[in-house]
Amino acid sequence: MASPLVRLRRHIIAALPSHLPVAYKLGLSISLLMVGGVALLGLVIINQQSRLLHEQLDSFGRTMVEQLAESSKELVLTNDSLALNALIMNLASSRVVMGAAVYDRDGRALARAGLVPEQLNIPSTPNLPPQVSGHAGPIHFQDLRLGTALVTLNPKKQDDAVRHAITAIALSTLVIGLLAGMAAFLMGRHLSRPIDRLMQATGAIGAGDYRFRLRHRRRDEIGQLMTAFNRMAQGLQEKSQMEGALNRYVSVGVARKIMSNLDRLELGGHQVEASVLFADIAGFTSLSEQMPPDQVARLLNTHFTHISRIAQSYRGTIDKFLGDGVMVVFGVTEEDPDHRFHAVACGIMLQQLMHRLNQKQPASPCPVRFRVGINSGLMLAGNMGSEDRMQYTVVGDAVNLAARLMASGAPGQVIVPATLLAAPEVARRVQARPHGNLMLRGREAPVYSYVVDQMTAPYQADMEHRLQALLEAIGA
């Protein structure tokens, strides 16, 4: 169980605000410093004033006793009690003197007035109340001791002076503390204004607004910090613009890899287990001969946009466009344990989309149909090309086989090898029929292949939902 001090500390920490502006901290610090300094100075002044008043009161008391002893020695010798009482009464009538007395050698009072003892025990100190300051001195005539003179003083004057000094210093401390706090707060606001602007700027940069700039005309360290921040924001903006432009030429994953390793761009790669899809427009040569070049370009751009959206839907990445064809990879730029199924699903969805688009334009003399080939396996992913011009792509026998399967297929077909269809995550999700052995260029042994027609029931429903969303997005 936590101790009371620990609990108190937790309560204090919980009560503190989560954010305290620099202006308040600076104002509070300077105010406490000023108040502490003035309070310390006041204590020193009060101590000095009290000591000085005490010394003055003692000096005054000794002087009064000496004068009383000098004035009363002849009266004591002559035993003139009347004159002695008159002298004592006159002395005791002062506002500072509380009492006065003359005692004989045995300590008996010869004359007294005010606050003094009736009898004095010689040579002990007079027994006086604590609020009274007493001073005693001997009365001598030549070498003969005649008695003792006693004067009691009122210390109220000293106490009043000390109290007035304390009051004045306390008021001065309060006024100086308030003025110092206000000045410190204003100064803190002035000094913290650029810091507030820096906080706003960092918030804007954190939110992705790289156009935010700090306007300043400062010639100090904060001005240098603002200049450095503006340079950083400019660099981030340029990098963001570069990445945005790069995303239009390569996939987002590839662009991210390039931007994160700008100082380590080199040829080479690493092996990955991934899938690749090739698709091209069947009969594109004859199709392009029937259309003007600008219309051909619009047709390619439109259908490549469809393929890009379908690939994104199944976590695929456009590797490159090959004339009228496209190469899509799965599980290369980002890890995807289900890359085989995603590649097959992408091919099926492309064929079903083209079938529906052609149905909506039955009178079109040039329907667009794709051939699709898919394969998976080990392939080399990395920067390929030359030192001064390179491209992030995948190469290997698995990639070549996918391209050969596409070329062997008929328009509207998705061709996959038996090894891909044997993967459990693919076999239970698709419906396929044998396509037979294919003797492909560059391979000695035939490759047994299948034509994938569609998804099984539960997965086909999900694809229908995706197709409908895509059709609505393209306004078809």
Side-chain angles (χ1 to χ4, degrees):
M1 186 174 181
S3 65
L5 288 177
V6 174
R7 291 198 300 269
L8 178 61
R9 182 172 177 270
R10 290 176 180 173
H11 288 313
I12 293 175
I13 293 175
L16 292 175
S18 59
H19 173 68
L20 188 63
V22 175
Y24 295 152
K25 292 181 180 179
L26 186 60
L28 181 61
S29 300
I30 295 179
S31 298
L32 291 177
L33 184 62
M34 293 292 293
V35 170
V38 173
L40 181 60
L41 179 62
L43 290 176
V44 173
I45 293 175
I46 291 172
N47 183 60
Q48 290 291 103
Q49 183 78 1
S50 177
R51 186 176 60 84
L52 181 61
L53 290 174
H54 183 71
E55 291 177 354
Q56 290 177 349
L57 190 63
D58 286 344
S59 177
F60 178 74
R62 288 193 299 270
T63 302
M64 293 294 292
V65 166
E66 291 174 359
Q67 290 180 353
L68 178 59
E70 184 65 25
S71 301
S72 63
K73 62 182 179 180
E74 293 182 359
L75 299 177
V76 173
L77 282 173
T78 59
N79 198 20
D80 189 351
S81 59
L82 182 61
L84 195 59
N85 278 305
L87 176 63
I88 295 299
M89 293 294 293
N90 183 49
L91 185 61
S93 63
S94 172
R95 290 184 300 175
V96 179
V97 178
M98 298 186 68
V102 174
Y103 301 90
D104 61 13
R105 288 180 296 180
D106 298 327
R108 293 188 297 271
L110 299 176
R112 67 186 184 89
L115 188 60
V116 293
E118 294 183 0
Q119 189 169 355
L120 193 63
N121 295 323
I122 304 299
S124 64
T125 304
N127 185 18
L128 298 173
Q131 70 274 16
V132 178
S133 175
H135 297 272
I139 303 173
H140 288 282
F141 181 77
Q142 295 181 356
D143 294 333
L144 181 63
R145 178 184 174 89
L146 302 178
T148 303
L150 174 66
V151 175
T152 58
L153 303 179
N154 185 359
K156 187 174 182 303
K157 290 289 184 179
Q158 179 184 4
D159 296 339
D160 290 342
V162 173
R163 280 196 299 271
H164 290 158
I166 292 174
T167 303
I169 292 174
L171 290 176
S172 300
T173 302
L174 179 61
V175 172
I176 292 175
L178 290 175
L179 293 177
M182 293 174 60
F185 176 75
L186 295 176
M187 183 171 61
R189 285 290 300 273
H190 176 71
L191 293 176
S192 65
R193 189 174 295 116
I195 299 178
D196 294 337
R197 291 288 294 164
L198 280 170
M199 290 181 61
Q200 295 176 5
T202 53
I205 294 296
D209 184 10
Y210 301 128
R211 297 172 298 176
F212 193 96
R213 296 293 184 274
L214 292 169
R215 296 180 177 86
H216 65 91
R217 296 179 180 177
R218 302 179 67 98
R219 299 180 181 271
D220 53 10
E221 291 81 358
I222 296 180
Q224 295 176 1
L225 181 61
M226 289 181 169
T227 301
F229 179 89
N230 287 338
R231 291 174 182 169
M232 181 196 71
Q234 179 68 26
L236 289 174
Q237 183 181 10
E238 292 175 356
K239 184 177 180 181
S240 176
Q241 291 172 346
M242 184 184 301
E243 187 174 357
L246 194 61
N247 286 339
R248 295 178 178 269
Y249 291 91
V250 298
S251 67
V252 176
V254 174
R256 190 178 298 115
K257 286 180 178 292
I258 294 174
M259 295 302 295
S260 62
N261 295 279
L262 289 176
D263 57 341
R264 291 184 295 173
L265 293 178
E266 55 186 15
L267 295 175
H270 60 282
Q271 280 195 336
V272 293
E273 178 76 23
S275 297
V276 60
L277 175 151
F278 281 91
D280 72 348
I281 299 176
F284 179 75
T285 302
S286 60
L287 186 67
S288 60
E289 291 176 352
Q290 306 173 34
M291 303 169 63
D294 59 338
Q295 190 172 350
V296 172
R298 285 197 299 271
L299 182 143
L300 288 175
N301 292 337
T302 298
H303 288 86
F304 285 162
T305 300
H306 299 339
I307 295 174
S308 178
R309 290 178 176 175
I310 295 173
Q312 291 177 7
S313 178
Y314 285 103
R315 301 180 63 179
T317 299
I318 301 294
D319 184 272
K320 62 175 68 72
F321 294 105
L322 305 165
D324 63 322
V326 63
M327 174 181 172
V328 187
V329 294
F330 299 82
V332 175
T333 59
E334 62 178 21
E335 186 176 354
D336 182 10
D338 213 12
H339 59 85
R340 296 178 182 84
F341 169 72
H342 286 155
V344 175
C346 180
I348 295 173
M349 185 172 175
L350 172 61
Q351 298 294 24
Q352 292 187 6
L353 173 66
M354 298 312 303
H355 177 70
R356 297 194 185 190
L357 290 177
N358 291 331
Q359 281 185 333
K360 289 181 178 293
Q361 299 176 344
S364 174
C366 304
V368 178
R369 304 179 72 186
F370 278 89
R371 296 179 300 175
V372 177
I374 302 171
N375 188 30
S376 67
L378 284 176
M379 53 192 73
L380 185 68
N383 294 320
M384 309 296 169
S386 63
E387 291 290 346
D388 57 349
R389 186 173 181 84
M390 59 186 69
Q391 180 183 11
Y392 190 92
T393 186
V394 292
V395 294
D397 183 65
V399 179
N400 296 334
L401 179 57
R404 302 286 188 270
L405 290 173
M406 177 201 70
S408 67
Q413 288 185 338
V414 177
I415 309 298
V416 299
T419 54
L420 175 59
L421 193 64
E425 68 271 21
V426 177
R428 60 186 175 84
R429 297 179 182 179
V430 301
Q431 295 179 2
R433 50 189 169 86
H435 186 247
N437 284 317
L438 298 176
M439 295 301 300
L440 302 177
R441 181 168 57 87
R443 302 181 73 89
E444 296 181 358
V447 176
Y448 196 78
S449 61
Y450 285 84
V451 177
V452 181
D453 293 322
Q454 64 179 4
M455 314 290 285
T456 55
Y459 301 101
Q460 183 62 35
D462 176 70
M463 182 169 289
E464 288 292 338
H465 177 74
R466 295 176 188 242
L467 270 173
Q468 189 60 38
L470 180 57
L471 289 169
E472 292 176 0
I474 64 179

